Amino acid sequence: MKKKIIIVDDHTLFAQSLHGLIKSYENFEVLKVCKNGKELMEYFNAGNLQPDLILLDIIMPVKNGLETMEWLKKTVPEQKALALSMEHDEKTIIAMLKMGCRGYLLKDIDPDEFIHAMNSVLNTGYYYSKEISELVINGEKKDAFELTSREKEFLYFACTEMTYKEVASEMQLSPKTIDGYRENLFGKLDVKSRTGLVLFAIKNNIYQI
């Protein structure tokens, strides 16, 4: 049975191109294309078929991605969604993840990585980078994810609105030590940004959404 997708994006050309790309995949079909979160809400409220996955733009008129994720979290918390973004705005993406979004995609993503991302969310619940996804799915190199209690504490605070300087104060450590934690975890978890740290923390129940 084909996996059912809903696209929520106000850029008509991009949405149509994405629709065409998804149609080219054998195991996927598009149920509907919505121009904003309000149209998605109307779709759900009308009792229509719930999709397996929502591809959700962040910056939209009427009801944006953050507002839409907040509504989904309250109304259909089990619904899986992937964020789409023109820019890698870390603060917005982290907010989306904390609202229950299962990962993020940049709109210039390679088609092969795009389908990998969708399958990753549908099969494992979340989307990581290709390297992290393979480790989680295959269960390999588990030692890479054995974190100390202080590393887990740092990861928890990284999921909040705190700056790294504020995290240092909360953990009673120097900013230089916090920078060391961050860089060590970037290497250990094979991520390159705070967003990657947050996604790992959520997936591994270090931070509860």
Side-chain angles (χ1 to χ4, degrees):
M1 184 179 294
K2 291 187 176 183
K3 298 298 184 181
K4 295 169 177 58
I5 309 296
I6 287 182
I7 299 168
V8 186
D9 197 300
D10 65 313
H11 292 95
T12 303
L13 184 60
F14 175 80
Q16 289 178 347
S17 298
L18 188 60
H19 188 178
L21 177 62
I22 293 171
K23 282 180 64 177
S24 72
Y25 298 138
E26 183 179 353
N27 297 322
F28 292 87
E29 64 177 313
V30 176
L31 283 179
K32 185 175 177 60
V33 177
C34 301
K35 291 184 178 180
N36 52 61
K38 182 174 181 292
E39 288 190 7
L40 179 69
M41 289 170 58
E42 291 171 348
Y43 175 90
F44 272 91
N45 289 335
N48 292 304
L49 182 65
Q50 185 173 338
D52 296 292
L53 180 65
I54 294 172
L55 298 173
L56 181 63
D57 193 8
I58 295 174
I59 301 174
M60 297 180 291
V62 185
K63 187 170 284 291
N64 63 31
L66 278 168
E67 294 167 334
T68 304
M69 265 321 304
E70 185 176 14
W71 181 85
L72 287 171
K73 184 177 181 179
K74 293 177 181 177
T75 311
V76 278
E78 75 280 4
Q79 176 62 61
K80 294 177 179 178
L82 266 172
L84 294 104
S85 178
M86 288 289 290
E87 299 180 6
H88 191 169
D89 177 19
E90 197 165 79
K91 184 177 180 180
T92 300
I93 292 171
I94 289 173
M96 289 287 285
L97 295 175
K98 289 166 69 175
M99 284 289 180
C101 200
R102 303 305 184 96
Y104 71 93
L105 305 173
L106 297 179
K107 287 188 174 180
D108 62 352
I109 190 170
D110 181 89
D112 289 339
E113 186 67 9
F114 172 65
I115 190 170
H116 168 77
M118 291 197 297
N119 281 320
S120 180
V121 169
L122 292 169
N123 296 330
T124 72
Y126 292 87
Y127 166 67
Y128 286 81
S129 68
K130 185 175 180 179
E131 292 77 16
I132 292 293
S133 292
E134 288 174 351
L135 289 178
V136 173
I137 293 169
N138 297 329
E140 296 174 353
K141 301 181 181 178
K142 291 182 180 178
D143 290 344
F145 302 129
E146 291 182 0
L147 307 180
T148 67
S149 60
R150 290 296 262 175
E151 286 175 331
K152 290 179 180 178
E153 184 181 4
F154 168 76
L155 272 177
Y156 177 85
F157 287 125
C159 296
T160 69
E161 302 298 322
M162 290 183 182
T163 64
Y164 285 126
K165 185 177 181 180
E166 289 170 337
V167 173
S169 177
E170 184 68 26
M171 294 181 66
Q172 298 183 334
L173 297 170
S174 70
K176 185 176 181 180
T177 300
I178 289 299
D179 287 343
Y181 275 126
R182 183 189 63 218
E183 295 304 316
N184 286 340
L185 284 171
F186 279 176
K188 182 179 286 188
L189 305 180
D190 195 14
V191 299
K192 299 179 181 179
S193 67
R194 188 167 182 171
T195 301
L197 294 178
V198 171
L199 193 55
F200 179 88
I202 292 173
K203 176 65 175 65
N204 289 274
N205 297 315
I206 294 169
Y207 183 91
Q208 299 287 334
I209 59 175

